[in-house]
Amino acid sequence: DQQVKQNSPSLSVQEGRISILNCDYTNSMFDYFLWYKKYPAEGPTFLISISSIKDKNEDGRFTVFLNKSAKHLSLHIVPSQPGDSAVYFCAAIVGGSQGNLIFGKGTKLSVKP
Amino acid sequence: GAGVSQTPSNKVTEKGKYVELRCDPISGHTALYWYRQSLGQGPEFLIYFQGTGAADDSGLPNDRFFAVRPEGSVSTLKIQRTERGDSAVYLCASSPIVSGLDEQFFGPGTRLTVL
């Protein structure tokens, strides 16, 4: 069973609008969540993270929201730019698990000019 | 500075053959991770090293898979008697210390195709 789920395989957004990528998880032991971005033929690159003791973390155009009771997090990109087009992976980790990231399947974001 | 590098970038082999995939982490990074990404899936954890020792190899699918990091820097993932189901992109990542809270820096991956 997948512990981290990204149910939307793809998302298309107009440039300048908001992109919202969603992620659900099942393991209540997860206490740290990360978003990675991946371009074709490149490795994933870290984008933003959030600890389970917070419900929001913001970094420039990127904001991650965490709803622990719903076991749901989302990544908001405002405003979306064509260069944001990539696959976005949600990942989670259990505190003290020594680095083992559990990834979702990813959501492919296309930002159209 | 240089990022994580992986060689080869592509490897095509025949079923039953042995392959080695190499990872050069960022200099000074203590922790090194191997993940496997199959088509349409997210990266799946295989093994991680703290220095020279494998601290967690619970993600290795079976005993055909083995990884080493003899000097605490470069790591090699070894796959014996390859099967078509082993076809995937093998990703390596490194981080400064062993903690999931440290950003893991990924290499571009090795695309393995088993015919």
Side-chain angles (χ1 to χ4, degrees):
Chain A
D1 268 356
Q2 276 221 302
Q3 298 185 67
V4 177
K5 300 177 184 179
Q6 293 177 259
N7 293 320
S8 297
S10 63
L11 175 67
S12 183
V13 171
Q14 204 68 32
E15 180 179 7
R17 298 291 188 105
I18 184 171
S19 295
I20 300 176
L21 297 104
N22 294 303
C23 177
D24 297 291
Y25 62 95
T26 58
N27 189 342
S28 58
M29 298 297 290
F30 288 145
D31 59 3
Y32 202 71
F33 303 89
L34 308 90
W35 285 93
Y36 277 79
K37 175 180 177 180
K38 185 180 185 304
Y39 292 117
E42 295 183 10
T45 55
F46 171 76
L47 191 59
I48 192 169
S49 62
I50 188 167
S51 165
S52 61
I53 63 173
K54 296 185 176 181
D55 56 17
K56 178 182 175 180
N57 187 28
E58 189 173 354
D59 183 2
R61 296 185 298 113
F62 303 91
T63 303
V64 56
F65 295 92
L66 175 62
N67 182 334
K68 282 189 67 178
S69 60
K71 293 191 176 69
H72 177 83
L73 64 156
S74 60
L75 174 67
H76 292 212
I77 306 173
V78 183
S80 301
Q81 300 173 354
D84 296 329
S85 297
V87 177
Y88 289 78
F89 290 100
C90 174
I93 190 165
V94 176
S97 73
Q98 303 285 302
N100 177 2
L101 291 172
I102 309 296
F103 285 88
K105 290 186 177 184
T107 296
K108 183 176 182 179
L109 174 66
S110 300
V111 181
K112 299 182 177 179
Chain B
V4 177
S5 63
Q6 292 186 246
T7 54
S9 55
N10 281 283
K11 176 70 177 178
V12 180
T13 190
E14 293 180 344
K15 179 175 179 290
K17 298 288 189 181
Y18 168 84
V19 297
E20 290 190 351
L21 312 178
R22 176 187 169 108
C23 172
D24 281 86
I26 293 172
S27 178
H29 278 192
T30 304
L32 184 145
Y33 312 83
W34 283 99
Y35 293 84
R36 176 170 71 173
Q37 185 177 12
S38 301
L39 192 63
Q41 304 293 317
E44 178 186 18
F45 169 77
L46 296 176
I47 184 172
Y48 93 90
F49 290 87
Q50 178 181 353
T52 60
D56 183 354
D57 63 358
S58 62
L60 294 177
N62 51 60
D63 61 6
R64 296 187 297 106
F65 290 75
F66 189 72
V68 296
R69 195 186 184 199
E71 298 178 357
S73 178
V74 170
S75 176
T76 304
L77 178 66
K78 307 180 180 190
I79 311 174
Q80 298 178 322
R81 304 183 305 279
T82 52
E83 299 177 356
R84 293 194 179 89
D86 298 334
S87 296
V89 175
Y90 289 81
L91 295 163
C92 175
S94 69
S95 66
I97 61 172
V98 178
S99 166
L101 305 186
D102 285 308
E103 177 185 344
Q104 294 185 20
F105 296 83
F106 283 82
T110 293
R111 181 176 295 279
L112 174 66
T113 303
V114 182
L115 301 177

